[in-house]
Amino acid sequence: MTVCLLLLFTVGVTAAVPVPRALTRSRWPERDPVVGLWVWQCLVATVLLCCLTSLALGAAAVFGTVRTQLFAPAPPAVTAAYNLSAGPVWAALITLLLAAGAAWTTAMLARELAEARRRRLSSRAHLRERAPDLPAGLPAARGPLLVLEDEYPDAWWMPGSPPQLIVTTGALRRLTHHQLDAVLTHERGHARAHHDWLLHLSTALATGFPRIPVFAHFCDQTHRLVELAADDTASRRCGHLTTALALIELNQHRGVLSCSSSRRLLGERVDRLLEPRPRLGRRRRALATTTAALVPLVPLLITFAPGLTALA
């Protein structure tokens, strides 16, 4: 068991510190943000699986009840292969730390979901004030699109039940028909990919563990890559130039092209659309996707290796 815990610790630290820093410095995720998001998710899953499997092994070594429950269906040879009765003293401390981390992670996820629900309910209440239901006898509005009377040009997707796509009259006046189509396609791209759930997860992990590089980088890169992915969805339908012009028109008053602006990502998105780089080739996409999907299997392989060896 000691060897398993050391291997899991090595894999977890590698996936949590040097790998995310190297991935952040890479430029290829900009060329294919969907693959980049998949790689980040697999990397985070690897770290979490290392923690969960280490917690399971440590708890089985420290607590006899847990050991009985985990290894109840296993043959005696499998239980003996893990040598749980000879667990090191530090396994108890590691188990308590991992259990506390698991509880804290669950609390952060619950808090983020509760906050997201509160914000969504507040936004819907605000929308009902600005766009109240029509009086009885008049046909009710249908479809997910809601137009708000507002000079401020804006458009956004509000998840929930039912989801709604909101666009202001300021945006309708400022954008051409094709630019408006690009904006709506961008927002629908967020909705179809369920980017809101990915953003909630990354925010919760970064809030709970701000000093762990993989979670901090995961949050930053997720917020960046979901926008690039939605931009690609819009550009494939409406063209790169149209999407870039729509982005400029919607954000010109915010200083989108100002280097000192806090919204520097908008300028990067415009540059990326005006000078598009080719996507990753099919072979490189398949290689990156497959490799990333196999990485989370490493902690599982380490955990089950003694048992599988005993059965063989």
Side-chain angles (χ1 to χ4, degrees):
M1 187 200 71
T2 303
V3 176
C4 289
L5 290 177
L6 291 176
L7 288 176
L8 289 172
F9 176 78
T10 303
V11 173
V13 170
T14 303
V17 182
V19 175
R21 288 175 177 169
L23 186 57
T24 301
R25 291 192 295 265
S26 301
R27 300 303 300 269
W28 69 262
E30 297 179 4
R31 298 172 55 187
D32 210 320
V34 174
V35 177
L37 285 169
W38 172 250
V39 171
W40 276 106
Q41 292 175 73
C42 292
L43 186 61
V44 170
T46 302
V47 175
L48 295 178
L49 281 173
C50 285
C51 295
L52 288 175
T53 52
S54 297
L55 175 60
L57 289 177
V62 175
F63 304 104
T65 305
V66 176
R67 184 188 317 162
T68 303
Q69 294 294 326
L70 285 179
F71 291 89
V78 173
T79 306
Y82 285 92
N83 196 18
L84 297 172
S85 58
V89 178
W90 51 264
L93 178 60
I94 295 297
T95 301
L96 291 177
L97 289 175
L98 290 173
W104 183 248
T105 301
T106 303
M108 289 296 101
L109 288 173
R111 175 190 173 188
E112 176 63 25
L113 293 177
E115 284 292 318
R117 185 174 184 275
R118 183 191 61 79
R119 291 192 299 266
R120 187 164 59 246
L121 292 176
S122 176
S123 299
R124 288 190 179 277
H126 183 59
L127 282 178
R128 281 194 296 270
E129 293 178 0
R130 299 178 63 186
D133 294 334
L134 296 176
L138 294 178
R142 295 182 179 179
L145 181 63
L146 175 64
V147 178
L148 287 181
E149 182 68 35
D150 193 338
E151 295 183 359
Y152 190 84
D154 206 354
W156 69 96
W157 182 269
M158 180 179 293
S161 181
Q164 276 192 311
L165 179 59
I166 298 99
V167 60
T168 65
T169 53
L172 295 179
R173 284 191 290 266
R174 185 181 289 267
L175 300 175
T176 66
H177 174 74
H178 294 294
Q179 291 170 359
L180 179 62
D181 189 25
V183 171
L184 299 182
T185 304
H186 174 100
E187 298 301 331
R188 291 192 188 102
H190 284 311
R192 280 195 294 268
H194 300 286
H195 286 159
D196 54 317
W197 288 102
L198 194 55
L199 293 173
H200 292 327
L201 173 62
S202 64
T203 300
L205 292 174
T207 302
F209 305 95
R211 295 186 179 276
I212 297 182
V214 65
F215 297 145
H217 290 310
F218 179 49
C219 183
D220 294 338
Q221 292 301 312
T222 296
H223 282 76
R224 177 169 172 265
L225 292 177
V226 295
E227 294 299 333
L228 300 186
D231 286 344
D232 288 348
T233 301
S235 64
R236 282 194 294 269
R237 175 184 173 90
C238 306
H240 290 88
L241 181 59
T242 300
T243 305
L245 292 175
L247 192 62
I248 292 173
E249 289 295 332
L250 272 186
N251 298 278
Q252 195 170 17
H253 56 288
R254 302 172 185 170
V256 62
L257 301 181
S258 173
C259 293
S260 60
S261 172
S262 60
R263 299 178 179 271
R264 190 171 300 174
L265 174 60
L266 292 170
E268 295 177 6
R269 291 166 58 191
V270 171
D271 291 340
R272 179 175 177 272
L273 288 167
L274 293 178
E275 298 179 359
R277 299 179 62 188
R279 297 178 63 190
L280 295 179
R282 185 175 301 179
R283 183 174 300 178
R284 290 191 63 185
R285 282 172 57 89
L287 179 62
T289 303
T290 305
T291 303
L294 292 176
V295 170
L297 299 180
V298 174
L300 298 179
L301 181 61
I302 293 173
T303 303
F304 291 113
L308 294 175
T309 303
L311 290 176

